[in-house]
Amino acid sequence: MPYLLLFGAVVAAVCLAGYYEIKTSTSQAKFISRYTDDLRYRIANGPSDKIVFPQKGPYDIRLGYVQLPTFLDKLQQKGMVISRQA
């Protein structure tokens, strides 16, 4: 019986922590901000060979980000030049 109470308390604590995280995103903000501290971007002359465009995702599709490679190719075919890119 004491194991059942302990199990119930653990399940309740996990559920409360999950609910708190869903409502506040505190843990996400803490861990993601630590990860992004190490990210660096550099703008250099000419097109970048390391750029990765999004392939899928509801917002990427809706906002047109997946079409960026096609859009850039069409602009270059019309004589436009990428002078600087991150």
Side-chain angles (χ1 to χ4, degrees):
M1 188 70 166
Y3 294 115
L4 188 58
L5 288 175
L6 180 61
F7 178 73
V10 170
V11 168
V14 169
C15 288
L16 284 173
Y19 179 77
Y20 179 76
E21 179 61 24
I22 288 170
K23 290 294 184 185
T24 65
S25 300
T26 303
S27 298
Q28 288 180 40
K30 181 188 284 187
F31 294 120
I32 290 174
S33 67
R34 285 183 190 165
Y35 168 73
T36 59
D37 283 343
D38 296 332
L39 293 177
R40 300 286 180 257
Y41 300 96
R42 184 173 54 91
I43 296 177
N45 292 331
S48 173
D49 59 344
K50 296 180 182 177
I51 194 164
V52 177
F53 293 104
Q55 302 282 323
K56 57 183 176 179
Y59 288 110
D60 295 329
I61 292 170
R62 191 177 92 203
L63 298 175
Y65 297 130
V66 296
Q67 297 171 352
L68 279 173
T70 305
F71 183 66
L72 290 174
D73 287 340
K74 288 180 180 179
L75 287 174
Q76 289 173 337
Q77 289 172 6
K78 296 195 183 271
M80 299 295 242
V81 177
I82 297 173
S83 59
R84 300 181 76 186
Q85 197 170 38

